[in-house]
Amino acid sequence: TEKIVLDCDPGHDDAIALLLAHGDPRIELLAVTTVVGNQTLDKVTRNALSVATLAGITGVPFAAGADRPLLREIAVAADIHGETGLDGPELPAPAFAAVDTHAVDLIVETVLAHEPGTVTLVPTGGLTNIALAARRAPEIVGRVKRVVLMGGGVAVGNRTPVAEFNIAIDPEAAAIVFEAGWEVVMVGLDLTHQALAGPEVRRAIRAVGTGPARFVDELLDFFAATYRDVQGFDAPPVHDPCAVAHVIDPTIVRALPMPIVVETAGRHTTGMTVADRRGPAPQGCRTHAALELDHTRFWELVVDALRTIGDP
Ligand code: BDR
Ligand code: CA
């Protein structure tokens, strides 16, 4: 199994990433940390705890982290995720609370508590917590197995023409994470815009027939509507579980090595992930971009995870 720390800002697709991480037997979820992003920190933390409650996740520490980006003002995504950050379905009140530890400390402690090269960090929000952890305890950089993040894109943005939301809301943090020297897999929009939840996918999810599956169906109703109205998509791209899927099976979310840096000082390009595709990646290149999705097998993973979770 792959040990992961999920750092998230639920968030419709973050919620599905959490369900996939919990339901897939190949993932061992060590900790869940939250970061300001789709909504304010208190809202996304509550959402994470509510999703854990409805999915029956127990024995995993949840910790709240950064309540603002390193340098920039908070910029939430209420247009996509609503006022609560998880508009649409009704959420149960959390059955448990976040631990007293700050997310950054929990990330550091978790990495140090396991063998070097065994813990993968999976950020699906802005990179504030991960950057702070790398600064707070630089020794984790050499111990983390990989950072498999949802964010960025080689050839496409959403927040701006060239910048994706998770990178755009805290580009300085993203620059720290991409340049730290650990292995980074960027599961960006090139990949996640292939992870569309079309009618067939929706039918397969409904057919599971459990409470958590109904919850995902209702999440996707809301997400589909905002993605249609705001971004002009026929079906919503379900970004965040793609990062978890890469950890589960890299043949489902396929990545190639290429140098990637983050623009922090552009007039029109701040938050852009600048990927060098001019030739074969240089020897020892530590950054990768996911470009190719096996759509059928990806959604099978999600549906199988929901079946495994059942009705807790
Ligand atoms: C990313 O931004 C957020 O709105 C989603 O949860 C996802 O992590 C997509 O750009
Ligand atoms: Ca997210």
Side-chain angles (χ1 to χ4, degrees):
T1 62
E2 295 286 332
K3 296 177 166 54
I4 73 164
V5 175
L6 182 67
D7 184 72
C8 58
D9 62 336
H12 294 67
D13 49 333
D14 300 83
I16 299 171
L18 177 55
L19 295 174
L20 176 58
H22 172 55
D24 194 286
R26 286 157 289 186
I27 296 288
E28 184 184 344
L29 190 55
L30 299 178
V32 177
T33 52
T34 57
V35 61
V36 63
N38 287 325
Q39 263 298 349
T40 54
L41 181 69
D42 53 334
K43 290 182 184 177
V44 299
T45 303
R46 189 188 151 85
N47 291 343
L49 294 167
S50 290
V51 175
T53 299
L54 84 91
I57 302 176
T58 55
V60 178
F62 280 58
D67 65 0
R68 56 156 295 174
L70 294 184
L71 302 182
R72 315 225 173 208
E73 296 301 322
I74 294 175
V76 299
D79 56 338
I80 300 289
H81 299 275
E83 269 317 306
T84 65
L86 212 48
D87 273 16
E90 239 188 88
L91 288 169
F96 65 101
V99 296
D100 247 337
T101 314
H102 191 281
V104 171
D105 292 324
L106 183 62
I107 292 167
V108 170
E109 282 168 20
T110 305
V111 171
L112 297 181
H114 292 85
E115 288 296 305
T118 60
V119 177
T120 298
L121 302 182
V122 183
T124 62
L127 290 161
T128 321
N129 286 344
I130 309 298
L132 287 167
R135 285 292 190 255
R136 163 111 170 72
E139 65 272 26
I140 70 167
V141 171
R143 285 185 68 113
V144 159
K145 182 173 181 184
R146 296 186 304 164
V147 179
V148 179
L149 64 92
M150 189 283 135
V154 169
V156 51
N158 57 10
R159 184 75 175 177
T160 78
V162 297
E164 182 279 331
F165 179 78
N166 290 339
I167 308 297
I169 57 172
D170 197 343
E172 287 74 22
I176 290 171
V177 171
F178 275 81
E179 288 162 32
W182 46 22
E183 194 170 326
V184 171
V185 181
M186 174 176 89
V187 180
L189 298 175
D190 324 87
L191 187 292
T192 66
H193 281 179
Q194 299 166 53
L196 303 173
E200 236 183 276
V201 168
R202 300 295 304 276
R203 270 194 294 278
I205 290 169
R206 275 194 294 272
V208 176
T210 59
R214 229 163 8 253
F215 167 73
V216 170
D217 187 47
E218 288 166 16
L219 278 180
L220 290 174
D221 278 339
F222 185 90
F223 207 45
T226 57
Y227 253 98
R228 185 189 57 230
D229 299 346
V230 181
Q231 304 252 1
F233 277 71
D234 288 336
V238 186
H239 311 277
D240 293 340
C242 296
V244 177
H246 178 81
V247 178
I248 295 170
D249 186 343
T251 71
I252 296 179
V253 172
R254 286 187 287 274
L256 290 176
M258 64 185 74
I260 306 171
V261 292
V262 178
E263 176 60 274
T264 57
R267 273 180 68 212
H268 305 291
T269 53
T270 297
M272 181 178 186
T273 43
V274 179
D276 191 349
R277 302 192 71 186
R278 286 173 300 173
Q283 277 295 318
C285 177
R286 303 281 284 162
T287 49
H288 308 252
L291 298 174
E292 227 190 309
L293 178 74
D294 187 329
H295 182 272
T296 305
R297 288 170 66 220
F298 168 71
W299 284 108
E300 277 168 12
L301 280 188
V302 175
V303 168
D304 285 348
L306 287 171
R307 278 206 203 94
T308 303
I309 291 169
D311 253 321

